[in-house]
Amino acid sequence: MIRNLTKTSLMLFFLSLLSTTHLSGQQDIPSRVEALLNKMTLAEKVGQMNQYNGFWDVTGPVPKEGNSKMKYEHLKQGKVGAVLNVRGVENVRKLQEIVVKESRLGIPLIFGQDIIHGFKTLTPVPLAETASWDLEAIQRSARNAAVQASAAGISWTFAPMVDISRDARWGRVMEGAGEDPYLGALVGVARIKGFQGDDLAAPNTIASTAKHFAAYGFAEAGREYNTVDVGTNTLHNIVFPPFKAAVENNVKSVMNAFNILNGVPATGDAFLQREMLKDRWGFKGFVISDWGSIKEIAFHGHAKDLKHTAELAAKAGSDMDMESYAYINHLEALVKEGKVQESLLDDAVRRILTVKMELGLFEDPYLYCNEEREKRWLYAAEHDVAALDMAKKSIVLLKNEKQLLPLAKTQQKIAVIGALANDKNSPLGSWRIGSDDNTAISVIEGLTKYGKNFTYAKGADLITGKANFIDEVKINETDRSGFAAAVELAKNSSVVLMVLGEHGFQSGEGRSRTKLGLPGVQQELLEAVHAVNPNIVLILMNGRPLAIPWAAENIPAILETWQLGTQSGNAIANVLYGDYNPSGKLPMTFPRSVGQVPIYYNHYSTGRPVSEGNVFWSHYSDEANTPLYPFGFGLSYTQFEYSDLSVDASNPKAVKVMVTVTNVGSRTGEEVVQLYLQDKVASVVRPVKELKGFQKFSLSPKGTKRVSFTLTEKELGFYNTKGKFIVEPGMFEVQVGTNSQEGLSKSFELK
Ligand code: NOJ
């Protein structure tokens, strides 16, 4: 009897579990989507494919036709599927209520925003985070960003940007993971996992977007929105892999791109969106256009008018229109005229509704509208702890002669020079729409909190006036009136900390530059101070690689601190005084001069790679081919030694590579062991080396570790010109070391 009772109650328990699952609706999404789709009018389908900006000009030009009144009417009529740049529980709730209560089918909106490196609490800009090579920390950053953004009503982020770029002139390199597709794919996936978590229907997870599909990072001459022409080798092996990895890891949306790719605007390109993304890779989410990128198809010279752009984009697989007003104005007519098949709209709407259901918005359209959560999580103290950890890990030590760093904790007379040292805004970097200005801990505050005495002199302003997200930054090119005081201070100090670099708004979207030196009068200031006291620690703040050959030659210690976000000054103080031993490695090559750009480590050999004593080899007459600092480079306060590289290629599907790493210095430190591979002879030429593995770990002094890597077909193969993945037997060379240019190497044959 008791046994039976237990059985029955167990059965009831499982049944109740099933019905909870059913209620939460995650199991039968396809049939629910189908049922809803069947009820929708053509106009309502087009509505789901339409996204409006909130009612202010924040991430692009406001379209002339768009006025708030019309947008409100459209909300009521079910003609809006998503909104961007509306945030805060109160605002989000207001719009959601209109749609849910007043539109015929009450299909909830999703609210998108660029959550690029934090929402309120800001973590380092993505390029900087990548320098940590710490995937767990990067995932945690995205997780915390999602917790805050979701608490403020956001259900969808336009991140991560997984565009590979080799061009430091392009301002958006700050938003990506640098120049390498292997690292870029892993970092992109870490971010997606952080944003989307394990359960997309939870109130603190948000849908994420891999962007910009495709090859946006290859804009000619690094000029924003410029033409892109890349061959199949680069497209399949460099541009696509991070997107493919995003799809394999269940990213919910993909944003297309502003650029043309080999003559076709990406937004109207069926090869990219239908063939590669949806057919070959099996992407199940939806494609969002970039801001106005549908209408720009016409400006590129590929469509005759807005209606034509709508036709091309819909056919090519752009599922949702961000602020072009092309779909809302023309898609219905195009279907009625037989120019666009309704089944294409059905496909797009299915994808959009699926993501909305997966987010749990049909069970609770106000899932993200909880005032308590909003109060609890914005600027949450525990997120400061994680942001500080991330910021410390993102710093790269570029030079440390005579062991100037870490600074001695006692004695020294410290001078701090540079406008950026006293700046609470610039270290926040670009792309921080939801956050508040002047919320970074400056270097001066960081040092003060650390309990250090120092004297500060600005030396010179970096900018004139105020910088913001949409206007050009005005750089001080003339005012040197503060030089004398700075030089005087330096004369009377034992160590000078000079905080120089770019303003946070000098990188980001629309921020291409032709010069990569220190902007304004900063180089002159550096040289003037150096003339009286060469004991300088240069603390660089920048959102892209800089060309600083003079500093690299003359300044004894250089710390690359990028734009580290809210905890900037605290992280820098910790590293300066050795409480954290720097462990970052460059995710992008630093050039000697802008003329070398694009410069990247995974280049091809060329037919004339070395000098034979005359000029007829691939080189510059006025500059070396080598970079100032290579990809993967970064020092530590300790030293690591590599020995005993071994390769076992007896199993061609699992080549074993082992190396011993020893901490031969006097401090505990973390090393990023990097494995590079070259396929020596291939049917499509392979780069001189490609990153195919890395491991980061800590070793105490004298500590040693035997590190092992397994190279499978995934690492050994490549995409041919048809985009087919192949592995070719033959000779390979493996290099394992501390950066892309230094390491032990060995050849092996793949049978
Ligand atoms: C334009 C940018 O290219 C894109 O990355 C961003 O997500 C949208 N604006 C929306 O802000």
Side-chain angles (χ1 to χ4, degrees), residues 59 84-85 114 158 172 175 211-212 216 255 258 290-291 322 431 433 509:
T59 56
L84 80 147
N85 292 329
D114 297 276
F158 307 127
R172 290 195 88 164
E175 199 183 338
K211 68 188 189 184
H212 306 82
Y216 179 44
M255 185 181 289
F258 290 125
D290 202 344
W291 180 294
M322 180 194 285
W431 279 123
I433 299 157
E509 186 178 349

Side-chain angles (χ1 to χ4, degrees), residues 234-247:
T234 303
L235 195 61
H236 290 291
N237 291 290
I238 306 289
V239 171
F240 283 163
F243 286 99
K244 186 163 184 282
V247 170

Side-chain angles (χ1 to χ4, degrees), residues 275-594:
E275 186 181 330
M276 291 309 304
L277 186 64
K278 293 178 178 171
D279 293 348
R280 284 220 224 169
W281 300 344
F283 174 57
K284 297 279 180 286
F286 68 92
V287 176
I288 172 77
S289 85
D290 202 344
W291 180 294
S293 69
I294 295 181
K295 86 175 171 229
E296 290 178 16
I297 294 175
F299 306 153
H300 283 296
H302 191 64
K304 56 180 187 290
D305 52 23
L306 189 66
K307 185 169 179 183
H308 193 194
T309 68
E311 179 185 341
L312 293 176
K315 282 182 174 161
S318 291
D319 299 314
M320 190 184 276
D321 173 358
M322 180 194 285
E323 284 289 312
S324 280
Y325 296 76
Y327 286 179
I328 194 67
N329 284 321
H330 299 293
L331 209 43
E332 206 177 330
L334 284 163
V335 173
K336 287 184 180 149
E337 288 160 20
K339 292 199 174 123
V340 172
Q341 287 179 339
E342 190 166 350
S343 61
L344 294 185
L345 274 64
D346 289 345
D347 177 59
V349 174
R350 241 179 233 123
R351 291 167 181 274
I352 295 163
L353 293 179
T354 301
V355 173
K356 289 184 176 183
M357 285 192 191
E358 287 174 341
L359 279 165
L361 288 170
F362 279 82
E363 283 70 34
D364 180 4
Y366 308 105
L367 188 66
Y368 294 85
C369 299
N370 179 327
E371 283 81 359
E372 288 307 306
R373 284 194 60 229
E374 191 172 37
K375 268 196 225 117
R376 163 70 180 87
W377 287 109
L378 301 193
Y379 286 121
E382 51 268 67
H383 291 176
D384 275 342
V385 176
L388 175 59
D389 177 63
M390 187 76 253
K392 289 190 284 194
K393 288 174 169 160
S394 303
I395 294 174
V396 184
L397 179 63
L398 293 178
K399 190 176 174 190
N400 194 18
E401 248 174 34
K402 297 185 216 131
Q403 306 219 323
L404 193 56
L405 289 175
L407 297 172
K409 290 202 172 161
T410 49
Q411 41 93 7
Q412 290 154 312
K413 252 179 120 183
I414 306 274
V416 179
I417 294 174
L420 283 172
N422 195 22
D423 197 325
K424 291 176 65 58
N425 210 28
S426 182
L428 297 175
S430 190
W431 279 123
R432 46 172 161 114
I433 299 157
S435 191
D436 300 289
D437 285 348
N438 297 310
T439 47
I441 308 283
S442 70
V443 170
I444 280 186
E445 287 172 329
L447 289 170
T448 308
K449 287 213 310 196
Y450 199 81
K452 289 295 149 196
N453 290 324
F454 58 87
T455 314
Y456 174 63
K458 179 167 67 179
D461 281 318
L462 171 56
I463 58 169
T464 62
K466 286 205 167 109
N468 62 46
F469 186 62
I470 54 175
D471 298 310
E472 294 293 357
V473 177
K474 295 198 183 66
I475 298 296
N476 167 31
E477 306 278 359
T478 52
D479 182 2
R480 299 170 180 80
S481 56
F483 274 32
V487 168
E488 200 48 39
L489 171 64
K491 260 189 210 160
N492 300 310
S493 306
S494 42
V495 179
V496 187
L497 308 181
M498 293 198 71
V499 187
L500 306 176
E502 294 181 301
H503 190 274
F505 284 123
Q506 278 189 282
S507 53
E509 186 178 349
R511 310 288 184 174
S512 297
R513 292 179 60 205
T514 62
K515 303 181 194 78
L516 294 176
L518 294 169
V521 297
Q522 295 181 105
Q523 179 66 32
E524 282 175 56
L525 177 64
L526 180 61
E527 291 184 29
V529 169
H530 180 262
V532 299
N533 187 348
N535 240 9
I536 295 175
V537 177
L538 173 59
I539 298 166
L540 288 172
M541 289 186 172
N542 40 289
R544 51 153 68 82
L546 294 179
I548 44 153
W550 187 89
E553 176 86 32
N554 295 288
I555 302 298
I558 307 177
L559 213 51
E560 174 54 76
T561 73
W562 317 100
Q563 284 125 9
L564 291 176
T566 310
Q567 289 294 321
S568 177
N570 287 339
I572 292 169
N574 266 274
V575 167
L576 284 173
Y577 283 96
D579 285 335
Y580 182 80
N581 186 354
S583 63
K585 304 274 187 176
L586 295 178
M588 252 188 115
T589 303
F590 275 42
R592 294 175 188 276
S593 87
V594 76

Side-chain angles (χ1 to χ4, degrees), residues 647-657 677-683 686 690 692 709-718 725-734 746-751:
V647 182
D648 174 1
S650 53
N651 177 357
K653 290 201 160 57
V655 175
K656 282 252 177 280
V657 179
L677 198 64
Q678 183 189 20
D679 182 344
K680 306 284 279 181
V681 181
S683 55
R686 309 307 312 137
E690 295 175 280
K692 292 293 177 183
F709 295 92
T710 305
L711 302 174
T712 65
E713 295 200 322
K714 208 169 160 219
E715 288 79 32
L716 294 159
F718 61 91
F725 192 78
I726 51 173
V727 185
E728 293 182 342
M731 291 310 293
F732 282 75
E733 180 153 319
V734 65
K746 251 200 164 79
S747 296
F748 66 91
E749 189 178 355
L750 191 74
K751 299 232 166 97

Side-chain angles (χ1 to χ4, degrees), residues 667-685:
R667 286 169 178 268
T668 297
E670 288 162 281
E671 171 69 324
V672 181
V673 179
Q674 301 161 41
L675 182 149
Y676 297 87
L677 198 64
Q678 183 189 20
D679 182 344
K680 306 284 279 181
V681 181
S683 55
V684 181
V685 293

